[in-house]
Amino acid sequence: MSMTALPEPKIVFVGPPGAGKTTAIAAISDVAPVCTDVRNTDPALAKAQTTVGLDYGEVHLGEGERVRLFGTPGQDRFDFMWRILAQQALGLVVLIDNSRPDPVGDLRRYLDAFAPTLDGGTACVIGVGRLESHAQPGLADFNEALAEQGRVLPLLAVDVRQREDVLMLLDVVLAQVEARQFTPEP
């Protein structure tokens, strides 16, 4: 797919802390990822490090073309970064950790937070991780939450540690973009 009409296309990975944004970008980046992880001091998060600024990586498409990958911090106190990073995004990848206390609520929170971006026509895919160890809620529950918000978005079970799974998310976003380029406006 040619991205020449978009000089510096970017895809933004969003989701709650621990959903795997940093891991996903590291899994597919063709350059050493840039991370702004620091020691976690929030006892509510069960992880040693947390992102406080952004993550950055790139996927090279060939012929000098690339897609820039940005990961947002997951904590609500950094939501100002969400808006900054979402500006002029080609697409969003919403990552949800199914082992969290309320993963469907997490999805709703991120769909609400990024509603202006999504309503502006930005492509989006949702990846739900840790379904193999936490089967409930199931994908049908997430689809129901999407329907409640009037959204029809691709929803996939993923393991963000697996390059193929993350590339699949990227392919889905890029396929949406490509389809919109060839769909005549009414």
Side-chain angles (χ1 to χ4, degrees):
M1 174 169 135
S2 176
M3 306 306 269
T4 54
L6 301 162
E8 289 289 322
K10 71 177 174 180
I11 294 177
V12 180
F13 288 71
V14 305
K21 300 171 296 290
T22 301
T23 302
I25 289 172
I28 63 171
S29 182
D30 292 324
V31 300
V34 175
C35 300
T36 59
D37 285 2
V38 299
R39 186 176 64 81
N40 177 34
T41 59
D42 184 347
L45 300 178
K47 55 190 257 179
Q49 300 279 313
T50 191
T51 302
V52 295
L54 61 91
D55 296 318
Y56 177 81
E58 297 176 2
V59 171
H60 299 149
L61 302 176
E63 299 180 25
E65 293 182 293
R66 68 180 177 161
V67 175
R68 297 173 301 146
L69 311 170
F70 289 89
T72 65
Q75 299 162 343
D76 287 347
R77 68 180 183 208
F78 297 116
D79 66 353
F80 66 93
M81 286 297 297
W82 303 353
R83 292 183 295 279
I84 291 168
L85 292 173
Q87 290 176 5
Q88 299 178 353
L90 185 66
L92 293 177
V93 175
V94 180
L95 295 178
I96 301 297
D97 174 356
N98 216 40
S99 70
R100 285 179 45 93
D102 184 11
V104 173
D106 289 340
L107 175 61
R108 287 186 182 107
R109 165 80 175 107
Y110 283 86
L111 292 177
D112 287 345
F114 288 93
T117 302
L118 296 171
D119 293 344
T122 300
C124 182
V125 63
I126 299 159
V128 180
R130 297 193 175 102
L131 276 163
E132 70 288 345
S133 61
H134 295 80
Q136 294 301 319
L139 292 180
D141 299 303
F142 290 100
N143 272 321
E144 186 177 307
L146 288 169
E148 289 168 4
Q149 293 199 345
R151 299 207 183 274
V152 177
L153 297 171
L155 176 67
L156 305 168
V158 296
D159 181 339
V160 296
R161 300 168 298 180
Q162 300 299 316
R163 180 176 172 83
E164 298 79 24
D165 284 13
V166 183
L167 285 173
M168 180 176 49
L169 293 170
L170 199 63
D171 284 345
V172 170
V173 167
L174 293 175
Q176 290 176 55
V177 171
E178 189 172 271
R180 290 176 184 162
Q181 287 178 343
F182 296 106
T183 302
E185 292 188 26

